[in-house]
Amino acid sequence: MKTQQFLLVLPLAFLLVFALVAPAIAWQIVSTEEVPQGMTAITPVNGGVLCGFDGEEDQGMIIINPETGHAVNDFETPEAGCFGLGSEGNNWFLGSEALYALNPNGEVINQLEKPYEFMRGLVSVERSLWTMIEVNDAHYLTLFTPGGNELRRFHTNIRNPGDLAFDGEYLWITDRIEGFLHVFDPNNGNEVNIFRTPTSSPRGIASVVVDNTSLIVLVDDGRNADFDVMYMINPSGGNAPKLLPISRQFDFSEVLVFGETDVNLSMFNVGNSDLVIEEVRFLDGNNGFEVGLLPREMVIDPGDYLN
């Protein structure tokens, strides 16, 4: 689509994510490795990433070298199921029916009550824990101490949160159903980026450093019935898939895109109602806006996107 300006006329009431595909800031899949199925939480530890499983029969944790996909150690857990893992220094945290503090041998050194009924993902930052909680069908990015004192809470538009990671600056959150990685600023709760994932079921995520390069480790189903796939991703280089930079919360009815070159415009409906696109207008030189006729009314369902 080559235009100087691209105009969408939209209702005022909807919340949009507006994304321009920019190859210069694409990410690169560094490696893919087959790993056991059912991982729902991972966290960086010495020797690799510690992986937990969610399920009544899945009891245990393993450490996997993300560069090879090989397990280098395994541990028993105090109970089956794992909604999140966190690590900081020599302390590990396991989220299950309770919140457990573990030593590097996987031994329980403290058992704490979960501060929230519904929690997804854990990541430890400066002796506190970030998680996603659900309250009245909404999901909140929440920081709390291991003792249960809440420090911060930010509303998000993530519909199916999975796991969390911290890269030293930003929090990364997987959406288990929609197939996105959401990136948040932990200081103010602003969503600063969104990624499409290699497949549509991202679960465990961790941030690691390999050869002085910060990489994202991601686990999803790889569209395979026999194993999961562990990806190592460099968010700052490569050609595909694309990183989608966004700005949010448009409160006006006209969205303008300026540019002399081809533009790929993706729109995400992160509201709770259908988003209806009524018409598209193009600006052609000095001829003014021309209305582009749509073959049908375009509707973006909540949580879906138009590309």
Side-chain angles (χ1 to χ4, degrees):
M1 180 186 301
K2 182 172 290 186
T3 63
Q4 290 183 320
Q5 296 182 4
F6 182 86
L7 178 67
L8 289 176
V9 179
L10 304 167
L12 284 171
F14 294 98
L15 174 65
L16 302 179
V17 177
F18 174 76
L20 289 178
V21 178
I25 47 175
W27 66 354
Q28 178 185 26
I29 297 177
V30 178
S31 66
T32 59
E33 300 293 341
E34 297 178 7
V35 292
Q37 282 186 307
M39 294 182 190
T40 53
I42 61 177
T43 192
V45 296
N46 290 334
V49 289
L50 182 67
C51 308
F53 299 84
D54 190 11
E56 296 180 358
E57 298 179 358
D58 295 324
Q59 187 165 349
M61 302 179 297
I62 59 176
I63 294 179
I64 287 181
N65 181 343
E67 298 181 74
T68 64
H70 297 158
V72 296
N73 209 342
D74 63 87
F75 309 91
E76 292 294 322
T77 52
E79 58 182 302
C82 170
F83 70 77
L85 289 169
S87 62
E88 188 169 2
N90 291 324
N91 295 318
W92 298 351
F93 293 95
L94 165 68
S96 189
E97 290 301 316
L99 184 64
Y100 298 93
L102 311 173
N103 64 24
N105 296 318
E107 300 166 338
V108 176
I109 57 177
N110 199 3
Q111 178 176 340
L112 305 165
E113 184 177 350
K114 280 197 316 182
Y116 308 100
E117 181 178 0
F118 181 92
M119 302 172 65
R120 282 290 182 186
L122 284 175
V123 64
S124 181
V125 179
E126 297 180 352
R127 300 183 180 180
S128 298
L129 294 165
W130 286 97
T131 189
M132 290 292 293
I133 67 172
E134 180 178 333
V135 179
N136 297 326
D137 297 324
H139 292 101
Y140 295 84
L141 181 58
T142 306
L143 179 67
F144 67 98
T145 67
N149 294 323
E150 185 173 304
L151 305 177
R152 299 179 196 172
R153 181 186 293 194
F154 301 116
H155 178 267
T156 75
N157 291 293
I158 300 177
R159 300 180 66 195
N160 304 281
D163 199 14
L164 293 88
F166 181 65
D167 66 3
E169 184 176 9
Y170 295 117
L171 289 163
W172 296 64
I173 306 172
T174 58
D175 187 313
R176 295 156 58 104
I177 306 299
E178 303 297 340
F180 293 108
L181 302 183
H182 300 264
V183 186
F184 286 84
D185 186 333
N187 297 305
N188 52 31
N190 290 338
E191 186 170 6
V192 296
N193 274 318
I194 183 170
F195 287 82
R196 288 290 293 174
T197 55
T199 59
S200 60
S201 301
R203 296 190 297 276
I205 188 171
S207 177
V208 300
V209 177
V210 177
D211 296 330
N212 297 318
T213 301
S214 180
L215 302 176
I216 295 297
V217 179
L218 176 70
V219 173
D220 68 22
D221 63 6
R223 297 193 180 98
N224 192 290
D226 299 321
F227 54 83
D228 284 350
V229 175
M230 179 173 286
Y231 301 87
M232 281 211 305
I233 298 167
N234 183 351
S236 60
N239 294 318
K242 301 289 190 297
L243 165 67
L244 304 181
I246 63 170
S247 48
R248 299 178 59 84
Q249 299 185 10
F250 289 105
D251 57 359
F252 47 86
S253 61
E254 297 178 344
V255 180
L256 242 55
V257 180
F258 296 92
E260 297 287 342
T261 59
D262 291 350
V263 173
N264 184 347
L265 176 64
S266 299
M267 291 175 40
F268 300 79
N269 179 7
V270 293
N272 297 316
S273 303
D274 289 347
L275 171 62
V276 180
I277 300 176
E278 299 173 343
E279 63 184 26
V280 178
R281 298 181 185 180
F282 303 93
L283 180 62
D284 183 17
N286 296 320
N287 296 327
F289 283 108
E290 298 178 356
V291 176
L293 298 179
L294 302 176
R296 65 184 188 282
E297 185 178 69
M298 291 186 180
V299 179
I300 307 178
D301 296 330
D304 208 349
Y305 71 103
L306 176 68
N307 193 3

